[in-house]
Amino acid sequence: MSDLPFGFGPPDRDPERRNEPGSGAGNDPFGFGALFGGAGAGGGTPEELLAKMPLFAELQKLMSWSGGPVNWDLARQGAISSLAAGSQPTSDAERSAVAEALRLADLWLDPVTDLPSGIDRTLAWSRVEWVEQTLPAWSALIDPLAERVVGAMTGALPAEAAAMAGPLAGIMDRMGGLMFGAQIGQALGRVSGEVLTGTEVGIPLAPAGAGVLLPQNVAEFAEGLDRPADEVRLFLALREAASQRLFAHVPWLRQQLLDAVHAYARGITVDREAIERGINEAMGSMGGIDPSNPESIQALLGSGLLEPEETPEQQMALRRLETLLALVEGWVDAVVAAAAAERLPGHGALAETMRRRRASGGPAEQTFATLVGLQLRPRRLRDAATVWGAMGQRHGSAARDRLWSHPDLLPTSDDLDEPLDFVARHGADDELHGLTADGSGETETPEGDDRA
């Protein structure tokens, strides 16, 4: 393997050939001749010449990204690079153990929910596989946020600053994609070392129908618990299998979650007047903002002036998102408890560990908070779990699961303030509906019945 950097070729070491006509060695001691096409080869355009040098070719590739507001090629490379020494490939034994756990989990869930299995294949992913396989889902989530942030920042610039930036708009867009890509790569690299299943972040990231566990992370998670590794794996498989049932058979659920994230993105605005005041102050205190001086620009960016302010619309979208995430998590908690309470001795302790893990800020929240300030947290998890548990106990699993038949039937954030009132009210509505076959508020009299 050559140790010569950047694609430079070695010089001709034969002293008798260095000055031979046509060899070019005398005027090309570092071997640039081959790179530039040799004597009389005509070379090529500067872009073509630079493309032949690995370093510049890579830079050219990064700067030519045109796939959206985030350079996902760079994100992938960055995430996988950070895992180079930390990701272990899955073994045949691990794949078999994951498949067995997910199959058993589905068998345990069958009696406690009317929703059928949502798993058609079982997968045991390494951390690198998780990064590669979930990028499409992350792109669908983050691209609208990144695009809106960049647009809001650019639109809020004063006219003078915008005029200066105009000629460089294309480069600025690509640089924005690079910066987002680098940030996301680092974030996904961290998350891949923590995430346990394909649905743990609250939004399904794996392909539809795929039940996923990450054996390396599951094993490390189990090391910190006072429970057998097989029990921990089965508990996590139950959660994954329950989540897959919900997302597979509630067709609007995934889109509702995406819509809530995108509604948050649409609300991103930047206070232009505050930026203008800040720039004027900065120009006075720093002696002006010099576009050619990276330090002055960095000082402006670090001042907080360009941070988007959370609007009422964003707060509403965030509340809806948090409620929906809590309802998903709460339903999973309830059905897993019904399936495992009598079978897994450590179910209670494991369930409490997961609730604390999610409530204190799990992998998804860390990622979104780092990237765009969006906290993806099911804050009302315990209240939602109370609703689903009480619904199942009082009205049965069929009535509980029917609430997922339409988004308007689900508890709202206000309902979660008094979860037992919602359960009682829903039960009364069901009883009334059962008594009124025509929905008019009066019971129908069967034909031939003499009762008024």
Side-chain angles (χ1 to χ4, degrees):
M1 178 176 178
S2 173
D3 293 327
L4 295 170
F6 311 129
F8 293 171
D12 194 326
R13 298 187 180 278
D14 185 347
E16 296 183 0
R17 287 180 48 83
R18 285 182 180 174
N19 297 315
E20 286 184 5
S23 69
N27 297 319
D28 185 23
F30 296 104
F32 285 100
L35 172 65
F36 288 91
T45 66
E47 291 80 5
E48 291 172 342
L49 298 176
L50 290 175
K52 296 177 182 178
M53 302 172 67
L55 173 64
F56 290 104
E58 187 64 24
L59 289 174
Q60 185 182 46
K61 179 182 177 182
L62 292 175
M63 290 302 295
S64 64
W65 170 263
S66 59
V70 177
N71 189 322
W72 288 101
D73 285 347
L74 180 60
R76 175 185 173 277
Q77 293 172 17
I80 293 176
S81 304
S82 69
L83 294 172
S87 178
Q88 300 172 3
T90 55
S91 65
D92 290 340
E94 288 173 330
R95 286 189 286 271
S96 296
V98 166
E100 181 180 351
L102 287 168
R103 283 195 293 267
L104 182 57
D106 259 340
L107 289 175
W108 286 11
L109 289 170
D110 281 339
V112 299
T113 175
D114 284 1
L115 298 180
S117 174
I119 296 176
D120 57 32
R121 61 195 182 280
T122 62
L123 299 173
W125 279 349
S126 68
R127 294 170 179 175
V128 168
E129 288 173 318
W130 182 88
V131 169
E132 292 178 328
Q133 297 298 324
T134 62
L135 280 179
W138 285 116
S139 175
L141 282 169
I142 294 175
D143 273 346
L145 290 166
E147 184 174 11
R148 186 66 182 176
V149 168
V150 173
M153 298 300 185
T154 304
L157 288 175
E160 181 181 353
M164 289 189 296
L168 302 175
I171 295 178
M172 290 176 66
D173 286 344
R174 288 192 288 272
M175 287 301 296
L178 285 175
M179 288 186 290
F180 268 111
Q183 272 192 300
I184 291 171
Q186 293 175 0
L188 294 185
R190 289 194 301 270
V191 174
S192 67
E194 303 174 8
V195 68
L196 303 171
T197 71
T199 55
E200 188 189 355
V201 300
I203 297 174
L205 298 175
V212 178
L213 295 183
L214 280 74
Q216 181 180 355
N217 293 353
V218 171
E220 293 180 4
F221 176 69
E223 287 177 0
L225 305 173
D226 189 22
R227 303 305 310 170
D230 289 348
E231 184 177 310
V232 175
R233 184 191 305 112
L234 181 52
F235 172 77
L236 295 172
L238 281 164
R239 293 185 58 83
E240 174 73 353
S243 297
Q244 291 293 345
R245 289 181 182 230
L246 198 57
F247 283 106
H249 300 291
V250 181
W252 50 265
L253 179 56
R254 185 190 303 250
Q255 191 59 48
Q256 285 271 322
L257 287 165
L258 290 175
D259 288 347
V261 174
H262 296 167
Y264 182 93
R266 288 193 298 272
I268 292 176
T269 59
V270 177
D271 189 340
R272 178 170 178 169
E273 293 182 359
I275 289 180
E276 290 178 343
R277 290 194 302 269
I279 288 180
N280 290 334
E281 293 173 2
M283 292 181 71
S285 62
M286 291 185 261
I289 301 298
D290 182 2
S292 65
N293 181 2
E295 293 182 0
S296 67
I297 296 176
Q298 183 64 35
L300 175 63
L301 293 175
S303 67
L305 291 173
L306 300 183
E307 294 296 326
E309 296 182 350
E310 195 171 82
T311 65
E313 292 79 10
Q314 281 184 289
Q315 293 172 359
M316 184 179 301
L318 183 56
R319 188 181 185 190
R320 180 161 61 95
L321 178 61
E322 289 176 344
T323 299
L324 197 52
L325 286 170
L327 291 172
V328 171
E329 288 283 327
W331 185 88
V332 169
D333 274 9
V335 298
V336 169
E342 302 299 326
R343 292 186 173 98
L344 285 181
H347 166 264
L350 290 171
E352 181 61 23
T353 297
M354 291 303 297
R355 279 193 291 267
R356 291 178 179 176
R357 177 182 169 92
R358 292 290 284 123
S360 63
E365 183 191 351
Q366 294 169 14
T367 302
F368 277 85
T370 298
L371 298 175
V372 289
L374 175 59
Q375 293 187 337
L376 199 66
R377 182 187 298 183
R379 298 179 187 274
R380 310 298 301 277
L381 173 55
R382 292 182 186 274
D383 295 329
T386 299
V387 166
W388 295 121
M391 280 293 300
Q393 291 176 1
R394 180 165 179 174
H395 307 298
S397 61
R400 177 198 64 202
D401 294 347
R402 272 199 302 271
L403 293 178
W404 289 107
S405 62
H406 194 279
D408 290 345
L409 297 178
L410 292 176
T412 65
S413 180
D414 291 337
D415 290 328
L416 294 184
D417 292 336
E418 299 292 342
L420 296 182
D421 287 351
F422 172 84
V423 173
R425 186 170 63 252
H426 183 82
D429 293 343
D430 277 355
E431 291 171 5
L432 180 62
H433 180 74
L435 293 173
T436 56
D438 63 354
S440 63
E442 298 178 358
T443 57
E444 287 187 275
T445 302
E447 187 175 349
D449 196 314
D450 294 332
R451 289 175 294 179

